[in-house]
Amino acid sequence: MEMEQDLDNIIVAGANPSDIEAAIIINILGDHEQQMDGNDEIHEPFNLDDVLMSDCKYLFRFEKNDIYRLCAALRMPPYVRTYKGNKVTGLTCLCMVLRRLAYPNRLRDLNLFGLSPQSMSLIINRGLEIIMNNHSHLIENLQGLQWLNHQRLQLYAEAIQNKGGAIPNCWGFIDGTARAICKPSVDEENYYSGHKRFHCIKYKSVLCPDGIIASLKGAWAGRRHDAAMLAESGLYEELERVAVFPEQNFVLYGDQAYGLRELLLTPFPNRGNLEPHQLEFNNSMKLLRLTVEWGFQKVISEFAFLDFKKNQKLLLQDVELMYKVGIILCNCHSTLYGNQTSQYFNVNPPILEEYLG
């Protein structure tokens, strides 16, 4: 009866699938750690100061000093508390999130934090929610990006043109990515992509020449078509508000599935009769558009947990939340250390504090 009551309470409170899963585990196995109220002193076995600087990049993907800086820039609260009463500092919570995403370890293997898997699961889920609640605008709405102004768009367009791009006012590239998931037990046909030949969820993204993923729309079930996703995303309406100026409009470049529009250009259709200048246009932009794949690859290289298909379970985890937070953290990583795309186009990303705004 106590377990049923706990589940009823957290469902009514709007808990996500990950919290519900953790609640079931806790009630079955029991969480023997001390539950603390807001007035109790925290006894954390983990202290970032005790971690060797040489180990930080491997464990958390960020240098030690940059983790402190990242914690402040992300506006992590002084303390993070779960509905079960688990309480840690915001810095520890961030380290748990980074460690969880860095590699597909089991929670029970993350013993450097000295907490039970059940407690870590709840704390990590809460940390993901905090980051997303504070910074979702960074990937969900181009209008929310203070650094994406006329000067920045012009810088991007010049960088693309300097690399041989045939479009003088192209500031970025639009593309989609399909993230593989476990075969869901409900509505599985809707998540199966015949083109990719696996179950997946899809996202629509905009990549800038400095490697920053400026927009990430989704998630959609694997069967959805690119054109339909673009129409539903509202991305084009955002472009009309951020990329249109009296003296010049800036455009994105994508594949033919998106259709030709004023602010969205695509290759000339190749039906075997392209003119030489059309073929040259397609080839010049095709090579540059491949940089989008570098952006997607960086995300799963730095945060390999997001590429671990066996743990991407729609009914047990908030897969979309984890991926979107991974994108935000990857962008933060790019502001601090650069990336392959920024090196290729010779454009530095905004600094961390400017990006997080």
Side-chain angles (χ1 to χ4, degrees):
M1 290 299 293
E2 182 180 352
M3 175 177 174
E4 293 178 0
Q5 185 63 47
D6 279 350
L7 291 176
D8 288 342
N9 289 339
I10 65 171
I11 290 172
V12 170
N16 60 39
S18 297
D19 280 346
I20 295 173
E21 176 191 16
I24 294 174
I25 294 173
I26 289 172
N27 278 278
I28 293 175
L29 301 180
D31 188 353
H32 301 297
E33 296 168 9
Q34 179 185 7
Q35 302 300 315
M36 298 168 287
D37 60 32
N39 298 320
D40 288 335
E41 181 182 358
I42 299 181
H43 301 284
E44 289 190 19
F46 172 79
N47 189 334
L48 182 59
D49 290 338
D50 298 332
V51 180
L52 296 176
M53 293 190 68
S54 57
D55 291 338
C56 276
K57 199 75 179 287
Y58 168 75
L59 293 173
F60 308 115
R61 298 298 187 253
F62 290 84
E63 301 287 355
K64 181 184 287 190
N65 291 335
D66 291 329
I67 295 176
Y68 293 107
R69 182 180 172 187
L70 180 64
C71 185
L74 286 171
R75 304 195 304 274
M76 295 297 291
Y79 300 102
V80 173
R81 181 186 175 96
T82 71
Y83 78 94
K84 271 288 188 177
N86 309 99
K87 183 179 176 185
V88 297
T89 65
L91 179 63
T92 295
C93 178
L94 175 60
C95 288
M96 286 188 186
V97 170
L98 293 174
R99 184 66 186 123
R100 179 59 163 163
L101 297 181
Y103 194 76
N105 290 307
R106 298 175 299 178
L107 284 171
R108 68 182 61 183
D109 296 329
L110 305 184
N111 47 25
L112 77 161
F113 295 107
L115 298 173
S116 70
Q118 298 81 21
S119 292
M120 283 191 289
S121 176
L122 294 175
I123 294 168
I124 291 168
N125 291 336
R126 184 68 189 121
L128 292 170
E129 292 168 356
I130 290 171
I131 294 173
M132 195 61 188
N133 290 340
N134 288 345
H135 303 287
S136 61
H137 64 282
L138 296 176
I139 56 174
E140 291 185 344
N141 193 337
L142 291 175
Q143 295 173 259
L145 304 179
Q146 299 180 9
W147 51 271
L148 193 65
N149 50 33
H150 181 275
Q151 182 180 2
R152 195 79 187 174
L153 293 174
Q154 185 65 50
L155 177 66
Y156 289 158
E158 291 174 358
I160 291 175
Q161 191 174 24
N162 289 340
K163 274 297 182 179
I167 306 173
N169 60 332
C170 175
W171 69 274
F173 304 93
I174 181 173
D175 200 4
T177 182
R179 304 308 310 154
I181 59 173
C182 283
K183 178 180 177 181
S185 58
V186 177
D187 200 22
E188 65 94 5
E189 291 183 358
N190 198 35
Y191 287 92
Y192 184 77
S193 169
H195 175 67
K196 298 292 185 180
R197 298 186 182 277
F198 54 69
H199 293 86
C200 61
I201 53 178
K202 291 182 175 180
Y203 301 90
K204 194 65 53 192
S205 73
V206 173
L207 183 80
C208 304
D210 56 8
I212 295 293
I213 296 176
S215 177
L216 186 78
K217 302 291 188 179
W220 287 276
R223 290 184 63 182
R224 298 294 289 164
H225 188 270
D226 284 349
M229 290 188 290
L230 177 62
E232 294 174 7
S233 70
L235 176 61
Y236 194 82
E237 289 72 20
E238 294 172 21
L239 291 174
E240 292 176 325
R241 293 177 174 87
V242 302
V244 175
F245 298 90
E247 64 277 12
Q248 185 183 30
N249 295 342
F250 294 92
V251 304
L252 292 177
Y253 186 79
D255 61 38
Q256 294 177 1
Y258 300 113
L260 186 64
R261 303 192 189 187
E262 183 178 1
L263 302 177
L264 178 56
L265 301 186
T266 62
F268 287 100
N270 189 0
R271 301 186 178 93
N273 57 347
L274 288 181
E275 298 290 336
H277 72 278
Q278 294 174 329
L279 185 61
E280 182 179 358
F281 173 92
N282 285 359
N283 289 337
S284 71
M285 297 305 297
K286 178 181 179 180
L287 292 174
L288 299 180
R289 187 172 167 272
L290 291 177
T291 59
V292 175
E293 300 300 326
W294 298 348
F296 292 144
Q297 185 60 43
K298 177 179 171 67
V299 177
I300 60 176
S301 294
E302 298 297 339
F303 301 111
F305 182 85
L306 301 173
D307 197 38
F308 188 51
K309 176 181 175 181
K310 292 182 179 180
N311 230 333
Q312 304 299 302
K313 303 175 182 178
L314 289 180
L315 300 181
L316 293 179
Q317 294 176 321
D318 196 333
V319 175
E320 178 182 343
L321 174 65
M322 284 192 295
Y323 189 70
K324 288 185 173 181
V325 170
I327 293 291
I328 294 172
L329 292 174
C330 187
N331 283 343
C332 292
H333 192 279
S334 292
T335 66
L336 292 169
Y337 311 113
N339 53 70
Q340 187 177 2
T341 305
S342 66
Q343 293 173 7
Y344 178 78
F345 285 105
N346 195 28
V347 179
N348 292 325
I351 64 172
L352 176 65
E353 289 76 10
E354 182 185 6
Y355 169 69
L356 292 175

